[in-house]
Amino acid sequence: MSKSIIHVALDVPLPRVFDYLADDANAGDVGRRVSVPFHHGEKIGVILSVSQSSDIPATRLKAARAILRDMPPLPPDWLAMADFASRYYQHPIGEAVALALPPALRRRDALPRIPDEGAFSISDPGRLALPALPQRSVAARLLAALETRGALSRRELRTVSPSAPRLLPELLEKGWLEPAPAILRSGASAPPTLLEDQRDAVDAIARAFGRFEAFLLHGITGSGKTEVYLQLIEQVLARGGQALLLVPEIALTPQLEARVSNRFPGARLVSLHSGLAEGARATGFLRALSGAADIVLGTRLSVFAPLPRLALVVVDEEQDASFKQQEGMRYSARDVAVWRAKQRAVPIVLGSATPSLETWAAAQAGRYRLLSLRRRAVAESLPEVRCVDTRREKLQDGMSEHLLRALAARLDRGEQSLVFLNRRGYAPVLACPACGWVSRCPGCTANLVVHLADRRLRCHHCGREERVPAACPTCGNQDIHPFGRGTQRLEEALVRRFPQARVLRVDRDSASTPRQWHALLDSVHSGQVDILVGTQMLAKGHDFPRLTLVGVLNADAALFAADFRAPERLFAQLMQVGGRSGRAELPGEVMVQTEYPDHPLYRTLAAHDFAAFAAAQLAEREQAGFPPFSHQAMLRAEAPELKQALAFLQTARELGDDLSPEEVTRYDAVPMRLHRLAHLERAQLLVESRSRPALQAFLARWVAAIRAQKAPKALRWHIDVDPLEF
Ligand code: ADP
Ligand code: ZN
Ligand code: ZN
């Protein structure tokens, strides 16, 4: 008999698989973890295929140490997804697989114990197998019990035989048992009666069960999108399927988790995000893999959860930039989710008040189906959005007279206000008026931000910290000042102006852990706060029923930013932050302080008219040939010196010339806007095409050619497909 050879994905930055000998390997081991010798150590990889041949002479092949059969193999569709991501994002397959696995499963540790939970039922193959089994065997007794008693939990199975738990993996693998669908218990919070738009949306999506269709569920905050998801999930559970629900932020998961588990107390809910302890993450992944999870809720990495019974995918706030990974394999979880829905022939719902223009354009073109929720589910009225023209007014602590009066009025009425300033810290820079010194970060093209609360200067890019100096480091002048305004300074000003008010600041400094964040939210909800000061952290996904005023400071910069996506992000942010107000019976008001009150962005915002905003933006993008009218990839390089980075990119550009890339435009290498970061110089080169297949074909060959070159030792580079940052 010829020896089996396994082809293994290993977590190394090389775009290839590694072959090993494995006598005991068989086709059923595809998708299993394997321990192999690598250099002088050991690595845990995943078997992608098993064959009898290798391009490497058999004499040079090493033997695998052990195939780990302690968990079900990763299914073929999961491996195909990793393969897709690897190809699409031009990233080595081994790293793509490693990224998709929880860290604990990339080591040889004992697997975490899956808690006693979940229910099982007998499958048709199990029924067929039963008569042939020795009658008194544990397997036969288990199957017989399931046959007569229906679905049983692990605990109940243990009463049949104490050794049952040990037998479960084997029986599952044989396909004799299957995880039983969630038991929809009564006692759940009752769903509300849907509004007409919601009803139509649920019906349209439910009609797509069992096949691929992409839906854009467009509706402002509070229009009942989540309720639509929940009612769809209910149908999924009733059909014995699994639902995957992606959300942008870790901070948002507990709240949604609570809502989901209140609605479906009998369903097995797994939440997956990078904030979990490693053991919990691995357990969640294994529960999803074994089919013992009915609902997987999580941030971008949960798109890689294995889901044997997947029936529905939901991506909430689909426009959110956090769905795009910004390091390593720069994947978009939203886009992978769409691919996956197609692969598995299930519907996908992309929900948003302010969809990404890519998604919006797809809906306009009919590739996605647009479903609109046209009004709020509870509060009827939308907040009134007004621009305060700051050219005509002297600002006090950055606030206009209008805003200050409005804040005072809310205080009198016992209502809450929010002042939104997307800049944390006390002031963006410390400066010496005598000699012109400013607090620059020595490692970055950025200023050190003043944090007066703990008297530190901090770089928000590289994390460098210093004490606030008592005097100017260059001329010794003791009269140095913070310039500009961040949330801490605004908080201080509000406390001074409204001594009777309870002011609370919410940003990444005050809420750096989920625990702190929840403590802050609790104090808002229990009415212990009159004025909130915060960054965009506050903008997302929270109901503040007594909040009736939102003031927006310093939003203008994004109107004229070099990044063509800046207006899109600003619009989304302001819609979101505005959506915090007036959610209950009290009408809300949003005041945007601006020097450009007639700017179309603010006008469409005031009219709550996303469609008009999107149409204007898309027209501009079409003219400029920007996405979604073209597809882009960015090659970035970082090195100790800028000229090294630029030279590398220039060489790469020339390599591309030989690949006859007619439909692909390659731009010049340019320094990045924040070109120095943590003592490294950064440059980038954009490639673009109207045709995605042309771009993909080019990238595959181009990246291979770049890899074949020897880059300078101190230089690092990466490719970012569909980049969001410029
Ligand atoms: P979104 O996800 O669009 O922000 P939600 O689904 O969270 O909206 O709905 C906002 C609020 O309205 C929630 O408190 C929700 O329970 C409630 N709600 C949603 N749909 C209905 C409905 N049809 N009838 C009554 N209340 C509803
Ligand atoms: Zn000075
Ligand atoms: Zn820095």
Side-chain angles (χ1 to χ4, degrees):
M1 189 188 107
S2 61
K3 291 200 160 185
S4 291
I5 292 165
I6 53 175
H7 309 279
V8 180
L10 288 181
D11 186 10
V12 289
L14 294 172
R16 45 169 289 215
V17 295
F18 295 82
D19 295 355
Y20 289 89
L21 295 169
D23 290 345
D24 61 334
N26 62 58
D29 289 324
V30 169
R32 284 200 194 283
R33 302 183 308 144
V34 61
S35 147
V36 295
F38 192 80
H39 284 299
H40 300 293
E42 172 193 54
K43 269 192 183 294
I44 301 294
V46 171
I47 301 176
L48 297 182
S49 56
V50 179
S51 76
Q52 307 301 320
S53 67
S54 169
D55 297 339
I56 296 170
T59 48
R60 286 183 45 210
L61 286 179
K62 289 187 183 158
R65 293 208 174 134
I67 294 175
L68 307 180
R69 296 196 172 90
D70 51 356
M71 65 183 236
L74 295 156
D77 72 283
W78 190 91
L79 296 173
M81 170 168 56
D83 181 63
F84 160 76
S86 153
R87 284 173 203 281
Y88 187 83
Y89 294 105
Q90 308 295 332
H91 208 74
I93 179 70
E95 291 189 335
V97 166
L99 173 112
L101 277 180
L105 299 183
R106 291 178 229 153
R107 293 188 305 261
R108 201 179 172 162
D109 313 356
L111 290 185
R113 248 180 59 79
I114 308 284
D116 262 5
E117 45 120 48
F120 300 89
S121 54
I122 185 168
S123 67
D124 288 337
R127 282 190 192 94
L128 286 176
L130 180 54
L133 293 173
Q135 237 181 32
R136 306 200 54 85
S137 68
V138 179
R141 280 170 26 223
L142 281 188
L143 291 179
L146 290 170
E147 181 72 336
T148 47
R149 290 162 62 190
L152 295 178
S153 69
R154 273 174 200 266
R155 190 161 300 132
E156 289 162 334
L157 284 173
R158 190 171 291 159
T159 63
V160 178
S161 159
S163 62
R166 259 176 287 140
L167 208 61
L168 281 178
E170 189 193 320
L171 296 184
L172 278 168
E173 192 150 312
K174 288 204 164 104
W176 292 353
L177 289 190
E178 54 198 13
I183 305 150
L184 292 178
R185 290 203 199 116
S186 54
S189 59
T193 311
L194 294 177
L195 301 173
E196 196 183 330
D197 282 347
Q198 287 175 309
R199 179 84 269 152
D200 291 347
V202 168
D203 290 347
I205 299 161
R207 274 197 299 273
F209 281 141
R211 64 181 163 87
F212 169 72
E213 187 167 357
F215 297 90
L216 167 56
L217 183 62
H218 179 226
I220 55 160
T221 315
S223 61
K225 296 185 294 298
T226 310
E227 190 53 46
V228 169
Y229 310 152
L230 291 174
Q231 302 224 0
L232 286 164
I233 290 172
E234 181 175 344
Q235 298 193 28
V236 165
L237 297 177
R239 298 161 55 103
Q242 290 174 308
L244 172 64
L245 182 47
L246 300 181
V247 293
E249 302 253 327
I250 298 179
L252 298 185
T253 55
Q255 176 197 1
L256 190 58
E257 228 179 294
R259 200 161 153 192
V260 172
S261 57
N262 276 338
R263 181 66 64 83
F264 309 115
R268 293 154 296 176
L269 173 64
V270 158
S271 81
L272 281 178
H273 52 75
S274 57
L276 291 177
E278 283 196 357
R281 233 180 103 181
T283 307
F285 188 92
L286 292 173
R287 289 170 69 194
L289 174 64
S290 66
D294 301 304
I295 304 168
V296 172
L297 185 163
T299 52
R300 64 171 178 259
L301 56 84
S302 53
V303 76
F304 294 116
L307 293 156
R309 294 181 283 121
L310 182 65
L312 174 73
V313 183
V314 174
V315 183
D316 193 29
E317 302 287 357
E318 65 87 30
Q319 84 291 348
D320 201 284
S322 67
F323 284 122
K324 181 87 158 74
Q325 168 120 327
Q326 299 292 2
E327 59 186 33
M329 183 167 87
R330 288 159 164 79
Y331 68 97
S332 155
R334 176 200 61 206
D335 295 351
V336 173
V338 173
W339 184 89
R340 195 169 188 200
K342 193 179 282 177
Q343 173 203 33
R344 297 290 299 274
V346 302
I348 180 168
V349 185
L350 307 176
S352 181
T354 51
S356 68
L357 292 182
E358 283 83 354
T359 298
W360 186 253
Q364 298 294 310
R367 279 193 297 122
Y368 296 173
R369 184 140 146 225
L370 176 63
L371 303 168
S372 296
L373 306 183
R374 283 161 298 190
R375 51 187 206 136
R376 280 184 160 185
V378 179
E380 286 292 311
S381 62
L382 291 166
E384 190 190 332
V385 180
R386 287 203 292 145
C387 284
V388 179
D389 187 344
T390 53
R391 288 168 307 183
R392 310 229 173 91
E393 249 190 272
K394 202 164 143 17
L395 300 182
Q396 306 161 53
D397 295 313
M399 289 171 285
S400 62
E401 191 58 47
H402 269 95
L403 179 57
L404 289 169
R405 272 206 305 268
L407 286 168
R410 293 317 186 282
L411 273 178
D412 287 345
R413 297 208 294 263
E415 296 167 10
Q416 288 175 328
S417 311
L418 159 63
V419 187
F420 176 71
L421 174 61
N422 215 356
R423 192 195 269 157
R424 66 195 170 90
Y426 185 83
V429 72
L430 186 69
C432 169
C435 74
W437 172 85
V438 292
S439 57
R440 288 227 162 80
C441 175
C444 305
T445 30
N447 292 326
L448 292 173
V449 175
V450 186
H451 285 251
L452 222 48
D454 48 0
R455 300 205 59 79
R456 310 289 283 174
L457 295 177
R458 273 198 196 101
C459 177
H460 287 185
H461 300 284
C462 71
R464 183 192 170 87
E465 280 197 33
E466 299 174 3
R467 284 184 56 82
V468 171
C472 172
T474 49
C475 75
N477 173 21
Q478 297 197 347
D479 197 19
I480 50 179
H481 300 291
F483 275 82
R485 183 169 301 97
T487 45
Q488 289 179 9
R489 191 171 204 170
L490 188 59
E491 176 191 16
E492 184 188 275
L494 287 164
V495 168
R496 184 159 29 79
R497 287 183 174 274
F498 301 103
Q500 76 281 29
R502 295 159 301 177
V503 179
L504 181 74
R505 173 170 56 86
V506 180
D507 55 26
R508 255 199 298 141
D509 299 312
S510 68
S512 57
T513 65
R515 211 200 167 100
Q516 284 174 325
W517 164 247
H518 289 291
L520 290 176
L521 286 180
D522 282 348
S523 56
V524 179
H525 281 288
S526 56
Q528 296 168 43
V529 177
D530 300 311
I531 304 178
L532 279 158
V533 181
T535 58
Q536 86 189 58
M537 210 179 169
L538 260 183
K540 291 184 185 173
H542 276 275
D543 276 340
F544 299 131
R546 296 205 58 79
L547 183 78
T548 60
L549 172 69
V550 175
V552 177
L553 311 189
N554 286 24
D556 286 343
L559 296 178
F560 308 103
D563 183 346
F564 67 87
R565 284 196 176 85
E568 178 184 342
R569 280 197 289 262
L570 176 63
F571 191 93
Q573 224 170 54
L574 295 183
M575 277 285 267
Q576 265 180 349
V577 78
R580 300 299 115 220
S581 78
R583 294 202 65 176
E585 284 67 48
L586 303 164
E589 184 177 8
V590 179
M591 283 190 178
V592 183
Q593 295 194 164
T594 171
E595 296 186 6
Y596 307 92
D598 296 323
H599 194 284
L601 188 150
Y602 295 133
R603 284 217 311 267
T604 49
L605 182 76
H608 304 280
D609 193 347
F610 175 79
F613 168 75
Q617 283 288 306
L618 283 172
E620 278 181 31
R621 292 219 192 153
E622 183 161 25
Q623 210 162 27
F626 286 142
F629 302 96
S630 66
H631 307 281
Q632 301 181 323
M634 193 74 92
L635 180 66
R636 299 198 189 92
E638 54 180 47
E641 287 181 57
L642 189 57
K643 64 173 193 289
Q644 294 169 307
L646 288 168
F648 171 84
L649 295 177
Q650 200 52 37
T651 310
R653 189 177 192 278
E654 285 155 17
L655 285 173
D657 293 342
D658 303 335
L659 304 174
S660 59
E662 275 98 39
E663 294 174 85
V664 180
T665 312
R666 279 143 307 133
Y667 292 87
D668 283 327
V670 291
M672 289 177 66
R673 240 174 324 137
L674 180 80
H675 65 83
R676 197 151 51 108
L677 179 70
H679 296 284
L680 287 173
E681 294 286 343
R682 311 188 302 160
Q684 63 188 14
L685 186 161
L686 178 67
V687 295
E688 192 177 87
S689 178
R690 297 232 161 212
S691 152
R692 198 190 287 283
L695 181 66
Q696 279 290 314
F698 170 75
L699 288 177
R701 298 165 65 204
W702 189 45
V703 171
I706 298 170
R707 281 215 177 90
Q709 296 272 307
K710 216 159 163 56
K713 233 191 155 71
L715 183 138
R716 289 165 45 117
W717 63 273
H718 69 257
I719 187 98
D720 186 351
V721 180
D722 304 329
L724 284 185
E725 304 213 322
F726 278 76

Short mmCIF file of all heavy atoms in Angstrom, two decimals, residues 432 434-435 437 472 474-475 477, ligand 2:
data_model
loop_
_atom_site.label_atom_id
_atom_site.label_comp_id
_atom_site.label_asym_id
_atom_site.label_seq_id
_atom_site.Cartn_x
_atom_site.Cartn_y
_atom_site.Cartn_z
N CYS A 432 3.90 76.12 22.75
CA CYS A 432 4.56 77.25 23.41
C CYS A 432 4.41 78.49 22.54
O CYS A 432 4.92 78.53 21.42
CB CYS A 432 6.05 76.94 23.62
SG CYS A 432 7.01 78.39 24.14
N ALA A 434 5.74 81.29 22.90
CA ALA A 434 6.97 82.08 22.80
C ALA A 434 7.86 81.64 21.64
O ALA A 434 8.34 82.45 20.87
CB ALA A 434 7.76 82.00 24.12
N CYS A 435 8.06 80.32 21.50
CA CYS A 435 9.01 79.88 20.47
C CYS A 435 8.35 79.04 19.38
O CYS A 435 8.99 78.65 18.41
CB CYS A 435 10.15 79.08 21.09
SG CYS A 435 9.67 77.42 21.61
N TRP A 437 7.10 75.99 19.73
CA TRP A 437 7.20 74.54 19.95
C TRP A 437 5.81 73.92 20.07
O TRP A 437 4.90 74.53 20.62
CB TRP A 437 8.00 74.28 21.25
CG TRP A 437 7.98 72.83 21.67
CD1 TRP A 437 8.81 71.85 21.25
CD2 TRP A 437 7.07 72.22 22.61
NE1 TRP A 437 8.49 70.64 21.87
CE2 TRP A 437 7.43 70.85 22.69
CE3 TRP A 437 5.99 72.70 23.36
CZ2 TRP A 437 6.74 69.95 23.52
CZ3 TRP A 437 5.30 71.79 24.18
CH2 TRP A 437 5.69 70.43 24.25
N CYS A 472 8.40 74.77 28.51
CA CYS A 472 8.69 74.45 27.12
C CYS A 472 10.06 73.76 27.02
O CYS A 472 11.05 74.28 27.52
CB CYS A 472 8.69 75.73 26.29
SG CYS A 472 9.27 75.43 24.61
N THR A 474 12.04 73.50 24.61
CA THR A 474 13.07 74.17 23.81
C THR A 474 13.50 75.51 24.41
O THR A 474 14.68 75.80 24.49
CB THR A 474 12.63 74.38 22.34
OG1 THR A 474 11.34 74.97 22.33
CG2 THR A 474 12.61 73.08 21.58
N CYS A 475 12.57 76.34 24.91
CA CYS A 475 12.97 77.66 25.38
C CYS A 475 12.78 77.85 26.88
O CYS A 475 13.14 78.88 27.44
CB CYS A 475 12.24 78.77 24.61
SG CYS A 475 10.51 78.97 25.09
N ASN A 477 10.13 78.40 28.53
CA ASN A 477 8.94 79.19 28.87
C ASN A 477 7.95 78.34 29.68
O ASN A 477 7.62 77.22 29.31
CB ASN A 477 8.31 79.68 27.55
CG ASN A 477 6.98 80.37 27.78
OD1 ASN A 477 6.68 80.85 28.87
ND2 ASN A 477 6.20 80.44 26.71
ZN ZN B 2 9.14 77.62 23.81
#
